[in-house]
Amino acid sequence: MKMIPDGSVDLIFADPPYNLQLGDGLTRPDQSTVDGVNDAWDQFGSFAAYDAFCRAWLSEARRLLKPDGAIWVIGTYHNIFRLGSIIQDLEYWIQNDVVWVKTNPMPNFRGTRLQNAHETLIWAARGKESRPTFNYHSLKTANDDLQMRSDWTFPLCTGQERLKNGGKKLHPTQKPEALLHRILLGTTNPGDLVLDPFFGTGTTGAVAKRLGRHYIGIEREAAYIDAAAERIAAIEPEAAEMVTPMPSPRREARIPFGRLVEDGLLSPGTVLYCAKRRYRAKVKADGSLATPGATGSIHKIGAHLQNAPSCNGWTFWHVERQGRLLPIDTLRQTVRAQMASMAS
Amino acid sequence: MKMIPDGSVDLIFADPPYNLQLGDGLTRPDQSTVDGVNDAWDQFGSFAAYDAFCRAWLSEARRLLKPDGAIWVIGTYHNIFRLGSIIQDLEYWIQNDVVWVKTNPMPNFRGTRLQNAHETLIWAARGKESRPTFNYHSLKTANDDLQMRSDWTFPLCTGQERLKNGGKKLHPTQKPEALLHRILLGTTNPGDLVLDPFFGTGTTGAVAKRLGRHYIGIEREAAYIDAAAERIAAIEPEAAEMVTPMPSPRREARIPFGRLVEDGLLSPGTVLYCAKRRYRAKVKADGSLATPGATGSIHKIGAHLQNAPSCNGWTFWHVERQGRLLPIDTLRQTVRAQMASMAS
DNA sequence: AGCTGTGATGAATCAACGT
DNA sequence: AACGTTGATTCATCACAGC
């Protein structure tokens, strides 16, 4: 980075080491081993060491940004708070934080925490007075004419897109091109210069080339450099107007049963009945159903009472309203309708 | 907070202010006055003052948590990075960060940035060795039997739930009860003590009372205190049996395998099989399993035969009953049921 | 060609208890 | 405090084999 002159870069995308500090030997319920990130480049002795490292590269990054330049960084709770604080301390000016909601995250295999289903990005201008590029209408058009939100839904980088070496992943943390696509489309113009100081397998370069942006990549590992060069060489630049639109980030809202209780549509203690009132169960505050001898989800309890292998609790269970039985699926549709009307 | 004794609180929920107005007599919790800031140092001064304020209350919060206590904080990109860094510096141990995805966020009217459509929560234990309450099965059941993720979708607090004063909203950032409902259901037990040091209009207290949790609220503004008191007084607590978490298999009474032999549910010499009948072993009178070349516990022999580091023998091994394979875990449940009926 | 079942895998701070 | 034993625990997606 020291070779790059002051004020010469339009945008920086940085995916720095996350400082994960993992234990070893995590196994799945089927006894297979989880291939965690234990590379040497992710080892830092302390928060102080990690902070010093990040302050150094973030400070240098700011030097070489143009006055209206901006930076994106990505991380998880292990490091994103360090990054965000340092960015603020260095007098960058945060525009937004963005959450990448993963459609297919790895589960928490031990049932000890919530499933870690998102990563966080920070978009910051070089300073408070900067006017960074923001293609508001491009993003709005890509989002079915709705203003682009700060939560972005994408799958992990898997399948053909994931670079492999002898059948195994080449890089532990390759980012999806769709993520970079939205970032570069939204916050750079064609011909801009994009810098990625943690280039890895070159996702930033690949997307920049395809979208007609110039790029500089910095990487330490020779194996990654070679793979990135080969990957980018195969990219055919596209005319900006030919770029395929991104899939809509909106998905059909999945409403779990517990949500009806959280929203107050069903209060704890309410009795649910099957259509013929042959079976009954009580709603608990955590969204489980209780019958004498068993407690569980609407599906589990429905199956249990009928002695069936499975059951769709949404259609099986009913709530009494004005003397008549109403399927709880109707309440779910109420929630969906509320969400839709509020969003519009 | 200084009046609350050490190690007396199970959970803290904190929604701290971030739009601190400096220079109008702001004092730190230790009563020292925050220095006025001049223009040149304004930005740095703001962050430094905010950091000092948060370090003070987060430090005090940690003092009064029980050893296995935990804290939730909520914020936006203006303050969440400061909060997260301080939480890590104070040697809390982050469990997850959670994003509250808003179904109906306020638009960005000027079109200069992305729509701010989420807020961030941090869930942290008092320390690395803490074992905070986590009702994994309650959350999983409420989520239609899928592990609860770190992205939570809720609407803003609006409509009847939003406290008003002469038609205008009483508090600028009243949180939805549904959010607190999920937090308290997932990370406290009935009877726990919950502290909210920025009580506002008392959402934490209202949900805590409804769910059978005790609470302490701290608030400076008299108008909020009055509104919160009135609000909470109108709350009717749910029945006790409706607010208990799903039973956890980890808390069930431990039944040693030998107990099945002692109780005559398995006689010595019985052959056990894995689900696919690929492995087999014989039950010995002392409750060990014997295979050619090895003898040991159901877990040890299961791991040994599969060449795995470990194995849950209760689910791995099956006994033949009427030509079909029955998991020995079923026999353990029989013993547990007998114990429960004798105890009652 | 199309369907079905099996196996692999992804930025993960991933256990509790008795001796 | 350290160590060994018991035993609880996974979702979405893709590749590939088999039919």
Side-chain angles (χ1 to χ4, degrees), chain B residues 136-137 140 147 299 310 314 332:
Chain B
Y136 175 77
H137 289 281
K140 183 173 178 178
Q147 191 171 78
H299 315 294
S310 70
W314 289 107
R332 179 169 64 161

Side-chain angles (χ1 to χ4, degrees), chain A:
Chain A
M1 290 174 81
K2 291 196 185 303
M3 296 162 52
I4 302 174
D6 291 10
S8 59
V9 171
D10 292 287
L11 190 84
I12 296 173
F13 177 84
D15 181 15
Y18 284 12
N19 192 25
L20 285 187
Q21 304 177 12
L22 303 179
D24 40 43
L26 178 63
T27 56
R28 304 167 197 272
D30 66 2
Q31 307 293 343
S32 64
T33 304
V34 176
D35 184 14
V37 180
N38 53 5
D39 304 68
W41 48 255
D42 200 39
Q43 307 301 321
F44 293 85
S46 63
F47 282 129
Y50 186 74
D51 289 352
F53 168 74
C54 289
R55 198 172 293 113
W57 70 259
L58 279 166
S59 178
E60 189 70 3
R62 190 163 183 270
R63 176 186 67 77
L64 48 79
L65 276 180
K66 292 181 182 175
D68 286 337
I71 188 170
W72 286 84
V73 300
I74 182 169
T76 61
Y77 66 83
H78 309 85
N79 69 326
I80 197 67
F81 306 121
R82 322 306 298 189
L83 292 171
S85 288
I86 294 168
I87 281 171
Q88 290 176 319
D89 290 343
L90 292 176
E91 300 186 19
Y92 286 93
W93 192 253
I94 296 180
Q95 304 287 113
N96 283 108
D97 62 335
V98 170
V99 287
W100 168 26
V101 176
K102 302 178 182 182
T103 58
N104 51 347
M106 185 160 61
N108 179 298
F109 295 114
R110 295 289 166 85
T112 55
R113 301 180 177 197
L114 301 167
Q115 182 183 28
N116 219 333
H118 75 277
E119 297 193 21
T120 302
L121 299 107
I122 299 173
W123 172 37
R126 186 184 187 280
K128 187 175 181 179
E129 308 304 325
S130 304
R131 291 295 171 264
T133 301
F134 180 54
N135 299 320
Y136 175 78
H137 290 286
S138 292
L139 292 174
K140 186 169 180 178
T141 302
N143 193 33
D144 293 349
D145 289 329
L146 288 176
Q147 194 171 70
M148 184 65 78
R149 299 165 46 111
S150 59
D151 55 311
W152 297 358
T153 303
F154 292 112
L156 299 173
C157 179
T158 61
Q160 296 300 316
E161 186 186 330
R162 188 83 188 217
L163 297 188
K164 301 277 174 44
N165 185 4
K168 298 197 64 173
K169 61 186 175 190
L170 176 63
H171 191 283
T173 69
Q174 186 181 339
K175 294 291 176 289
E177 292 191 7
L179 183 68
L180 270 297
H181 185 112
R182 186 174 292 178
I183 288 172
L184 295 188
L185 210 54
T187 61
T188 64
N189 291 310
D192 275 3
L193 177 58
V194 178
L195 166 69
D196 186 335
F198 304 97
F199 204 54
T201 53
T203 305
T204 301
V207 177
K209 181 176 177 186
R210 182 176 301 124
L211 295 181
R213 276 69 169 167
H214 303 296
Y215 66 90
I216 301 174
I218 300 176
E219 176 54 49
R220 202 172 56 179
E221 302 281 334
Y224 298 158
I225 295 172
D226 294 345
E230 184 179 352
R231 171 190 189 181
I232 295 171
I235 299 281
E236 200 63 40
E238 297 182 19
E241 66 272 18
M242 295 303 293
V243 163
T244 53
M246 298 305 303
S248 167
R250 291 184 299 162
R251 354 163 227 183
E252 171 78 36
R254 198 179 68 83
I255 310 292
F257 179 70
R259 179 63 186 279
L260 303 187
V261 186
E262 290 166 348
D263 280 5
L265 286 169
L266 285 174
S267 52
T270 303
V271 178
L272 300 186
Y273 305 88
C274 75
K276 297 179 179 173
R277 294 184 190 261
R278 188 169 159 200
Y279 302 113
R280 48 182 290 165
K282 268 193 189 174
V283 177
K284 293 181 61 178
D286 62 0
S288 61
L289 285 194
T291 57
T295 304
S297 68
I298 53 172
H299 316 294
K300 288 259 173 65
I301 295 301
H304 168 73
L305 289 174
Q306 299 179 95
N307 203 17
S310 67
C311 166
N312 180 349
W314 288 107
T315 51
F316 180 74
W317 291 109
H318 300 64
V319 62
E320 190 162 347
R321 290 275 193 269
Q322 296 153 349
R324 294 171 55 185
L325 289 185
L326 191 71
I328 59 172
D329 200 35
T330 309
L331 301 182
R332 179 166 65 162
Q333 286 161 16
T334 304
V335 175
R336 284 216 177 101
Q338 283 173 355
M339 288 171 63
S341 70
M342 286 171 143
S344 65

Side-chain angles (χ1 to χ4, degrees), chain B residues 76-116:
Chain B
T76 64
Y77 68 80
H78 303 91
N79 67 331
I80 197 66
F81 306 120
R82 321 306 298 190
L83 291 170
S85 288
I86 294 167
I87 281 171
Q88 290 176 317
D89 290 342
L90 291 176
E91 299 186 352
Y92 286 92
W93 194 247
I94 296 180
Q95 304 288 115
N96 282 109
D97 62 335
V98 170
V99 287
W100 168 25
V101 176
K102 302 177 183 181
T103 57
N104 50 345
M106 184 190 306
N108 180 301
F109 293 107
R110 298 183 56 187
T112 54
R113 301 181 181 196
L114 300 167
Q115 181 182 29
N116 267 319

